[in-house]
Amino acid sequence: MDMNHNEEGTVTGGIAVDRLRSIIERVERLEEERKALGADIRDIFTEAKSAGFDVKVVKQIIKLRKQEPAEVEEQETLLDIYRRALGM
């Protein structure tokens, strides 16, 4: 086994072990945080549903708020045109 030292710490097979471990552990922590945030978001949608809100519509509004106003307007215009074309 090739064991050398440099400013990164132990190097094995050309790999800076401490740096690799740090990267992996940081990603693992973030994945745990993401999982916890996902559970928190689900709880909020449950609360919204309990308060009588349509969760599907709430999700659509959240999606729309992320988009640029011009993009939203273009989509709404096309939706209206398509609805009229189909007699809806």
Side-chain angles (χ1 to χ4, degrees), residues 16-52:
V17 177
D18 294 340
R19 182 83 187 270
L20 177 60
R21 182 176 290 114
S22 170
I23 289 168
I24 290 170
E25 289 171 353
R26 286 167 36 212
V27 170
E28 288 172 340
R29 274 194 304 277
L30 289 172
E31 286 177 345
E32 284 299 314
E33 289 177 29
R34 178 171 48 191
K35 196 160 94 174
L37 288 172
D40 291 346
I41 290 169
R42 283 189 300 277
D43 290 345
I44 294 170
F45 284 128
T46 298
E47 177 185 336
K49 186 174 182 178
S50 297

Side-chain angles (χ1 to χ4, degrees), residues 23-87:
I23 289 168
I24 290 170
E25 289 171 353
R26 286 167 36 212
V27 170
E28 288 172 340
R29 274 194 304 277
L30 289 172
E31 286 177 345
E32 284 299 314
E33 289 177 29
R34 178 171 48 191
K35 196 160 94 174
L37 288 172
D40 291 346
I41 290 169
R42 283 189 300 277
D43 290 345
I44 294 170
F45 284 128
T46 298
E47 177 185 336
K49 186 174 182 178
S50 297
F53 294 107
D54 184 317
V55 172
K56 188 174 180 180
V57 175
V58 170
K59 288 180 179 182
Q60 287 176 324
I61 290 184
I62 291 169
K63 181 180 174 184
L64 288 172
R65 287 169 51 105
K66 291 178 186 177
Q67 296 175 334
E68 292 295 322
E71 186 181 354
V72 172
E73 186 177 340
E74 180 183 343
Q75 288 177 3
E76 288 175 349
T77 299
L78 284 172
L79 182 60
D80 186 50
I81 290 168
Y82 291 176
R83 282 182 175 155
R84 281 189 276 128
L86 296 171

